[in-house]
Amino acid sequence: MKTTLIRGAGLLGGLAVVGFLVAYWLLEQQSPQVVGVGVVGSVLLVLFLWLDREELSEVSQSRAVRYGTGAALSVALAFGVTIAANVLAKRYDKRWDLTSEGRYTLSDHSVSVAKGLAEPVTVLGFFQTGSPEEDSFRDLVEGYTAHTDKLQLKLVDPVQEPLLAQEYAITSSFGTVVLVQGEKRQRLENDFKEEPFTNAILRLSSSKEHTICFTTGHGEREVDDDASAEGIGGMVVKMEGQNYKAKPFVPLKEGAVPADCEVVIVAGPQSELAPQEREMLARHVAEGRHLIVLIDPLVANETAADLSRYGLIVGDDLVLENNPNYQLEGGDPSYIVLDKASMDFHPIVNDMKAIALLRTVRSVRKGPDVEGYNVQELARTSPQSWAETDLSFVTAGVMPSPDEGVDLIGGVPMMAVVEVVDPSVVPVGDMSLPGGGLSLAPAPVDPAAPVDPAAPVVDPAAAPAEPVVEPVAEPVVAATPARGRNPGGRVLVIGDSDFAGNGLLAQGQNQDLLLNAVAWMVDEEDQIASRSSEGASGLLTMTGLQGIVVWLIAVLGAPGLAVALALRSWIQRRSL
Amino acid sequence: MRNILAIARRELSAYFATPVGWLALSAFLLITGFFFAALVSLYSMQSAEQAFSPYGAPDMNLNEYLVAPFFGNTAIILLFIVPALTMRLFAEDRKTRALELLLTSPITTTEIVLGKFVGAMGFIAVMLACTLHYVGVLFYLGDPDVGVVASSYLAMFLLSGAFVSVGLVTSSFTENQVVSLVLGFGMLLLLWVLGWAESASTGLTAEVLGFASLINRMEDLTKGLIHTRDVAYYLSFISFFLFATHQRVEAFRWS
Amino acid sequence: MIRVEHLTKRYGATTAIEDVSFEVPKGQVVGFLGPNGAGKSTTMRILTGSLGATEGRATVDGRDVFTDAREVKRRIGYLPEVPPLYPNMVVRDYVAFAGQLKGVKDPVAAAERAIARVGLAQVGHRIIEHLSKGYRQRVGLAQALVHDPEVLILDEPNSGLDPAQRVEIRDLLHDLVEDKRTIILSTHVLADIEAICRRVIIINKGRIVAEDDIERLGGEQRTVTVAVARPGDAAIAAMRAVEGVSAVVDEGEGRLRLTTDGDRREHVANAAAPFGLLELSGRARLEEIYLRLTMGATP
């Protein structure tokens, strides 16, 4: 009884010590509990050896027993050596990338970024355990950790650790990566390849934080609302994940766009912006900062028409899609699907591979050429669509048809971007608050910036809002102009705001559309989701005949040959 | 070395002298052939669909969608076939008493164990070599990555080595080949499903299980990524079981 | 050539052999005699290195079988009780394989020589499992001879064979004796020992119970059997009267078995002559010694 107890203790102690070694070296767990297990185990083991010493020395007397014990012991020892070897191998892992395109080999740039890391970064990978995304992300991070010990990867299964997932607002089922350095966060979704990851590290360590301001007070989508379908909170969370700071403001209250706003987003105003507010925005752009206007049809027409000052014509219309390939399954024609073919060539949309889904869209097109502006339409709907100007059908409930000469028919542009090359071209009127002078003096006419009165869809109401241009002698350069880009601001107008609302945000690449736009505006083009198609030329197609031959070779050929050889050998051997 | 090769050669030719060897080879080729043809057909269908997709072609990669699953399946087939190949290595010798020839010859136990190991690996090399024509078909039809294919074959070889080493030790514990087969297969299955247990557990346990699982350590290799830790895992795994076999065979002298 | 000192082998609680010591000089042919389970095979397996001993030591040509096993194995050809055959190999390949393992320079030629030596030339190309049992035994012998060993250890080479095969193998062994090898041969067939061996070691219950030249074994006590034409009490009494005769047993049919001390054949013949001496066999018969020694140990 006593011996059994002692031996049991010895066994337990041995196991505890092995477990401790595994936990301590292999998993680098150094919690007090683990160390405690190790200490208790050692004590038990020593106790066993001491109490059982007579028995042990007796056992080692005879040759056979000595040998048998020796064998058992040496196998146990070999097991220990095996574990130790694996622990060392895990610690000092080297890897070779045998793929021809060097898929798992980091570029020199990424290596230098990894080596240059000064502060520790925790990489939280929210993936389903065992998913291919998790695997390839782990491979990727291992490429970095080979060069730095500042990077810590922690893989989290959102299903198993819902609290953590909630803390980081994880919604994507395909995975989300959050890089954490102190208070700073960088967020990656959908695309976990080397380039975006390296850029995320760079952004994290460059302490520059961009401020994105959202106008409020005109029924815009709510920045704080990340629950209802109308809110834009979901989008804001993604932006914050990119190290952007979101800041709502009421322009009339501030008197001007705050100086720290690099980008102002007007997210679907339901009522008109006051004329002064529009002037504030124009000044903001003239000063070389940026503006994004998401404007829905039927509302805020005056504000929409005012965008003509940037060389854009926003139609008072509703784009309807008639091409079944681009119609949403079960949706009405006011849903607009954009895909690669819909997009023009521009950094914002170049890397859009999946679709974007918009709902109730108005047309946004390039107005007459204006010297000093570079205007580009970014996306068009399909040739079978048109922009219906007779909006009475909305209440009548009758599906209209395109009216030649009145409606824009086929390939309706609904997204356009303006680069201000010459800031003096931007007409900026009086921004003084009501009472201070709503009377708008006619601006000195800039011949280069006329608002084309012939534009058929411009709400005539916008025409009198001829802005007063305060001559901006020297453009005030607020944001640091980078990389020799032109000093003017950038303006993006999209004839829809629903796509950025919580309701549609998860569709296709809706969120990338706005994130890309912001990234482009603040000169972080490397942020733009680039789903580069590395090694995508891996298609394989067969003719029907080839298919049959493959089946014949694989299923009949080789096994048949083996069976034939087997028979031959059997017959030969039978007579021997 | 000479003795190892002599024993290995004898073991290898024994596979071709018994129905078991030929049966295993034919079954292996039939099943891998079926998987190969099915995967190629499926992939070519997907490729055709991709080519006409209105949403553009997402990442379709021959290596990830065809080569890796093919070798994944091959690994599972090996899991079933290798124990049938290794069951006889010691069990049969013990049953026919031929082991006594080896034990009384001026060769070391290490040479006996390694000879049998190399012999079985030789047969597996033949089996794997018989799948090379699939690769030929792939190169004819598409553009697979040579590096990925090469490291996948390395993975198959290392994995088979691990299987053989386990089969060797279980074969040395019994004269009955069926018992040897069941023992070997059971042990391999256990080591195999450690990977499944990993996804069902968390934290420390999951890491240890994942680290010890035979299947997990193969995945990077079939992607064309050779980790020293994975190669070291298989080599140390093989060494450990060969050492255990060695101790077991030595013990025949003391039983 | 072979020296065994205090060899003991225990399997757990059971003792297979205990304190076995003997010596075989170079070139001698020794018979190992004992009932089944006496420890013959165990001793031989220890000598060949396929089994370890619990205690004691054994040397072959001065080399320890445990510490210098490789050199010892090189010098020994061993045919176990069940020949160590690979049934699905061709005879020639099998013997060549054995030659390779034994470190023969040209295994193929050595195999051919060994095959010819044991008279297997005609079946060299056949598969072992297709051969008769006698032939398989020969293949086993060829395996033991392939490296031309100085020592040959044969464990029951005759067991399980039919009488004709038995004679064949015995003749073969007889030929082998002429090769001047040191041979240890175990058997429970006495005729083999008598035909082949010069010396015999009798082992029972793990211990050596007798060890001597066959001629001398049995010491003073010998058995003389006489057959007379006219048996009867008178004849028995006459035999008893001969000096040195300690017992007379009537075996019937005119045969009398006498136990004598020393060689008393001449006197016995003289005494038996009046009764019509038909036959007299006076050599100590191994079987009797064997039976006496092994049975004697059983209460």
Side-chain angles (χ1 to χ4, degrees):
Chain A
M1 181 61 207
K2 193 184 142 218
T3 14
T4 321
L5 210 66
I6 290 170
R7 295 217 175 122
L11 188 70
L12 206 67
L15 285 177
V17 168
V18 168
F20 162 72
L21 292 180
V22 167
Y24 193 81
W25 281 324
L26 184 67
L27 309 174
E28 288 152 28
Q29 298 266 323
Q30 284 142 16
S31 65
Q33 292 96 315
V34 170
V35 177
V37 166
V39 170
V40 172
S42 318
V43 168
L44 282 176
L45 204 59
V46 169
L47 214 66
F48 158 71
L49 290 176
W50 176 251
L51 290 175
D52 225 17
R53 64 189 184 283
E54 277 171 32
E55 200 95 9
L56 286 174
S57 62
E58 209 169 283
V59 156
S60 53
Q61 289 305 305
S62 85
R63 199 187 291 176
V65 176
R66 198 163 60 222
Y67 189 83
T69 327
L73 250 163
S74 53
V75 169
L77 199 70
F79 188 68
V81 169
T82 306
I83 288 181
N86 275 288
V87 169
L88 286 177
K90 190 179 191 288
R91 270 276 171 90
Y92 302 100
D93 186 32
K94 286 264 176 300
R95 59 182 208 170
W96 291 281
D97 183 357
L98 254 61
T99 57
S100 52
E101 74 264 35
R103 172 189 298 245
Y104 305 104
T105 306
L106 297 185
S107 65
D108 294 345
H109 175 61
S110 296
V111 171
S112 67
V113 167
K115 283 184 172 158
L117 263 179
E119 296 295 316
V121 173
T122 304
V123 180
L124 293 163
F126 294 90
F127 294 100
Q128 275 177 30
T129 305
S131 63
E133 289 85 4
E134 184 192 48
D135 277 354
S136 50
F137 184 66
R138 188 193 289 127
D139 287 337
L140 178 71
V141 176
E142 276 170 357
Y144 292 82
T145 48
H147 298 288
T148 178
D149 52 1
K150 293 280 191 288
L151 211 59
Q152 276 278 336
L153 174 64
K154 186 168 188 259
L155 290 168
V156 183
D157 189 328
V159 179
Q160 287 173 358
E161 295 178 59
L163 284 179
L164 203 57
Q166 204 171 17
E167 186 187 333
Y168 289 94
I170 305 306
T171 50
S172 166
S173 53
F174 295 109
T176 302
V177 169
V178 181
L179 290 85
V180 182
Q181 187 177 46
E183 288 294 298
K184 289 185 281 183
R185 304 265 187 283
Q186 281 290 326
R187 200 180 169 93
L188 288 176
E189 287 188 29
N190 298 330
D191 194 358
F192 313 115
K193 291 226 171 68
E194 178 187 347
E195 200 184 317
F197 189 72
T198 299
N199 291 330
I201 296 176
L202 273 179
R203 280 198 307 279
L204 195 63
S205 28
S206 76
S207 49
K208 176 107 177 105
E209 195 182 49
H210 301 285
T211 306
I212 314 295
C213 298
F214 289 80
T215 59
T216 58
H218 318 90
E220 288 99 335
R221 293 178 181 271
E222 291 278 344
V223 171
D224 299 330
D225 178 3
D226 58 3
S228 80
E230 282 73 39
I232 201 170
M235 189 71 230
V236 170
V237 169
K238 310 284 180 203
M239 288 185 168
E240 283 167 346
Q242 307 279 26
N243 221 17
Y244 298 138
K245 203 171 112 194
K247 178 173 158 186
F249 76 109
V250 185
L252 274 183
K253 260 192 206 164
E254 305 276 338
V257 175
D260 61 341
C261 293
E262 281 174 74
V263 179
V264 170
I265 297 181
V266 183
Q270 298 301 300
S271 57
E272 302 292 351
L273 270 67
Q276 296 90 336
E277 293 178 313
R278 305 203 286 259
E279 299 309 326
M280 290 175 201
L281 293 178
R283 182 175 186 97
H284 166 81
V285 172
E287 285 172 350
R289 291 178 286 166
H290 318 292
L291 175 65
I292 295 175
V293 181
L294 312 179
I295 189 148
D296 289 309
L298 298 168
V299 293
N301 280 330
E302 219 172 288
T303 308
D306 180 60
L307 293 168
S308 64
R309 73 168 80 203
Y310 306 112
L312 296 173
I313 300 168
V314 179
D316 180 16
D317 50 19
L318 182 67
V319 182
L320 297 173
E321 180 59 78
N322 235 358
N323 183 342
N325 284 340
Y326 284 90
Q327 271 175 342
L328 188 69
E329 195 94 21
D332 67 31
S334 68
Y335 276 98
I336 301 297
V337 174
L338 299 178
D339 69 1
K340 187 92 185 143
S342 319
M343 308 293 188
D344 199 2
F345 188 83
H346 189 275
I348 296 178
V349 291
N350 276 350
D351 292 301
M352 301 281 285
K353 276 187 121 180
I355 58 153
L357 177 67
L358 292 75
R359 184 174 57 202
T360 60
V361 180
R362 69 199 298 173
S363 67
V364 176
R365 61 197 166 102
K366 183 176 186 288
D369 279 338
V370 177
E371 191 88 21
Y373 286 158
N374 281 338
V375 183
Q376 189 183 358
E377 293 165 354
L378 293 187
R380 283 170 186 274
T381 55
S382 84
Q384 285 79 17
S385 63
W386 78 99
E388 180 62 46
T389 45
D390 178 11
L391 297 173
S392 58
F393 80 94
V394 176
T395 41
V398 187
M399 188 61 199
S401 52
D403 302 312
E404 203 80 40
V406 184
D407 300 338
L408 270 177
I409 300 174
V412 181
M414 26 60 66
M415 194 193 302
V417 67
V418 181
E419 270 190 89
V420 179
V421 182
D422 175 5
S424 64
V425 177
V426 182
V428 181
D430 185 4
M431 322 190 311
S432 50
L433 294 175
L438 255 174
S439 59
L440 300 167
V445 175
D446 188 332
V451 175
D452 188 2
V457 286
V458 173
D459 190 325
E466 195 81 313
V468 181
V469 175
E470 276 185 356
V472 184
E474 282 300 311
V476 187
V477 181
T480 9
R483 289 185 258 178
R485 54 170 282 189
N486 53 65
R490 295 168 170 184
V491 180
L492 169 72
V493 178
I494 301 177
D496 178 43
S497 71
D498 297 87
F499 79 94
N502 298 332
L504 290 183
L505 191 62
Q507 300 293 328
Q509 281 190 287
N510 278 12
Q511 63 174 47
D512 291 334
L513 201 53
L514 208 53
L515 286 175
N516 289 358
V518 172
W520 175 68
M521 288 182 165
V522 301
D523 268 322
E524 284 196 346
E525 289 173 23
D526 55 13
Q527 276 243 36
I528 291 172
S530 62
R531 304 192 162 195
S532 56
S533 48
E534 310 160 41
S537 63
L539 297 188
L540 178 153
T541 45
M542 291 193 296
T543 63
L545 182 66
Q546 282 175 325
I548 293 169
V549 171
V550 166
W551 274 96
L552 284 180
I553 291 178
V555 176
L556 286 182
L561 197 65
V563 169
L565 287 172
L567 274 176
R568 206 188 75 141
S569 135
W570 180 68
I571 290 168
Q572 266 181 352
R573 287 177 57 85
R574 211 169 41 153
S575 59
L576 284 178
Chain B
M1 196 62 207
R2 211 180 76 119
N3 294 327
I4 295 175
L5 287 181
I7 294 172
R9 198 174 314 124
R10 201 214 73 79
E11 292 296 337
L12 185 57
S13 59
Y15 283 116
F16 294 104
T18 55
V20 177
W22 286 106
L23 205 71
L25 182 63
S26 309
F28 177 76
L29 288 178
L30 185 68
I31 304 170
T32 52
F34 175 81
F35 276 118
F36 176 76
L39 281 167
V40 168
S41 300
L42 183 71
Y43 189 73
S44 93
M45 258 161 58
Q46 287 173 335
S47 294
E49 276 172 24
Q50 285 307 328
F52 300 107
S53 161
Y55 302 122
D59 280 351
M60 282 276 289
N61 186 306
L62 185 69
N63 302 311
E64 271 174 40
Y65 286 71
L66 183 51
V67 177
F70 171 70
F71 283 105
N73 283 324
T74 304
I76 293 174
I77 300 162
L78 285 172
L79 173 75
F80 283 88
I81 285 185
V82 172
L85 293 175
T86 55
M87 63 180 184
R88 42 163 285 269
L89 287 174
F90 277 104
E92 190 184 40
D93 280 18
R94 286 180 72 186
K95 184 126 191 146
T96 62
R97 304 299 185 90
L99 188 63
E100 198 127 29
L101 170 65
L102 302 178
L103 290 179
T104 58
S105 290
I107 55 176
T108 61
T109 307
T110 310
E111 285 171 330
I112 298 175
V113 173
L114 283 180
K116 295 210 173 256
F117 178 74
V118 173
M121 288 309 286
F123 188 74
I124 284 160
V126 170
M127 287 203 326
L128 289 175
C130 287
T131 64
L132 279 173
H133 68 285
Y134 303 143
V135 179
V137 169
L138 278 191
F139 272 101
Y140 179 74
L141 292 173
D143 184 23
D145 193 326
V146 188
V148 173
V149 171
S151 77
S152 295
Y153 270 106
L154 176 70
M156 291 305 106
F157 211 66
L158 288 172
L159 190 71
S160 306
F163 290 171
V164 169
S165 65
V166 170
L168 212 53
V169 83
T170 56
S171 178
S172 71
F173 271 95
T174 170
E175 286 186 12
N176 188 325
Q177 294 195 32
V178 177
V179 173
S180 157
L181 173 72
V182 171
L183 271 180
F185 181 65
M187 243 174 114
L188 289 180
L189 205 60
L190 187 76
L191 287 163
W192 190 261
V193 300
L194 282 183
W196 304 346
E198 180 208 2
S199 47
S201 49
T202 49
L204 198 138
T205 331
E207 266 197 75
V208 173
L209 288 177
F211 192 78
S213 159
L214 275 170
I215 187 175
N216 289 16
R217 311 310 294 280
M218 187 192 77
E219 279 166 0
D220 278 349
L221 285 169
T222 57
K223 285 190 287 194
L225 198 54
I226 298 181
H227 279 275
T228 46
R229 59 150 195 253
D230 293 341
V231 176
Y233 167 78
Y234 284 115
L235 293 184
S236 63
F237 185 101
I238 294 168
S239 309
F240 171 72
F241 280 102
L242 290 186
F243 180 75
T245 312
H246 176 276
Q247 294 304 96
R248 173 63 193 145
V249 173
E250 279 285 301
F252 288 145
R253 303 181 201 276
W254 302 102
S255 59
Chain C
M1 188 73 187
I2 298 172
R3 180 196 291 269
V4 172
E5 291 165 27
H6 310 293
L7 221 48
T8 298
K9 172 72 189 176
R10 294 193 196 93
Y11 297 99
T14 56
T15 303
I17 56 172
E18 179 137 33
D19 198 23
V20 168
S21 303
F22 62 88
E23 215 171 308
V24 182
K26 198 175 170 79
Q28 196 175 56
V29 180
V30 175
F32 226 54
L33 197 57
N36 288 330
K40 300 178 303 237
S41 291
T42 301
T43 313
M44 292 183 142
R45 290 183 64 205
I46 290 172
L47 276 177
T48 57
S50 74
L51 197 65
T54 315
E55 273 161 49
R57 72 191 280 263
T59 58
V60 173
D61 204 9
R63 294 166 196 275
D64 192 293
V65 296
F66 303 123
T67 57
D68 205 0
R70 216 174 164 128
E71 283 304 312
V72 169
K73 287 172 181 175
R74 233 187 269 287
R75 288 166 168 74
I76 292 182
Y78 173 47
L79 174 64
E81 196 169 349
V82 179
L85 305 177
Y86 283 105
N88 46 40
M89 279 182 98
V90 169
V91 172
R92 200 167 272 133
D93 295 347
Y94 167 75
V95 181
F97 171 63
Q100 253 179 326
L101 292 184
K102 312 281 181 188
V104 173
K105 277 209 183 65
D106 184 354
V108 175
E112 287 306 327
R113 277 197 303 276
I115 287 170
R117 187 80 185 79
V118 299
L120 281 176
Q122 280 100 4
V123 297
H125 63 282
R126 297 194 60 193
I127 289 169
I128 293 174
E129 66 184 337
H130 297 165
L131 296 179
S132 73
K133 207 158 179 198
Y135 272 130
R136 274 186 253 173
Q137 201 71 21
R138 287 176 189 233
V139 178
L141 261 177
Q143 165 272 130
L145 286 169
V146 67
H147 56 307
D148 199 17
E150 296 163 53
V151 178
L152 209 49
I153 295 182
L154 310 172
D155 193 356
E156 308 251 7
N158 258 341
S159 69
L161 300 182
D162 67 35
Q165 292 168 337
R166 199 170 271 212
V167 172
E168 280 175 31
I169 295 290
R170 187 192 295 168
D171 292 346
L172 188 57
L173 293 177
H174 207 88
D175 290 347
L176 290 179
V177 170
E178 280 152 27
D179 291 353
K180 304 280 183 229
R181 287 181 223 275
T182 311
I183 299 179
I184 298 184
L185 167 79
S186 92
T187 179
H188 53 258
V189 181
L190 299 155
D192 296 341
I193 298 241
E194 286 179 326
I196 299 161
C197 304
R198 266 189 54 209
R199 238 177 103 219
V200 66
I201 295 170
I202 299 177
I203 186 166
N204 187 41
K205 299 200 163 170
R207 289 173 179 276
I208 291 185
V209 291
E211 177 193 356
D212 209 338
D213 284 359
I214 283 185
E215 298 300 325
R216 276 192 295 164
L217 197 67
E220 285 74 53
Q221 287 214 326
R222 290 184 164 226
T223 305
V224 177
T225 308
V226 288
V228 290
R230 296 175 292 280
D233 289 344
I236 292 172
M239 293 303 114
R240 281 219 173 97
V242 177
E243 192 193 344
V245 172
S246 54
V248 178
V249 178
D250 186 357
E251 291 187 324
E253 289 172 25
R255 299 179 80 88
L256 301 173
R257 187 155 57 87
L258 284 65
T259 307
T260 66
D261 55 339
D263 190 357
R264 307 284 176 181
R265 281 177 291 181
E266 198 182 340
H267 301 98
V268 173
N270 290 338
F275 301 96
L277 178 62
L278 300 175
E279 193 189 324
L280 184 144
S281 64
R283 206 177 65 169
R285 294 205 60 199
L286 200 54
E287 185 179 0
E288 304 201 14
I289 300 157
Y290 172 59
L291 285 176
R292 196 180 71 228
L293 287 173
T294 57
M295 301 302 276
T298 334

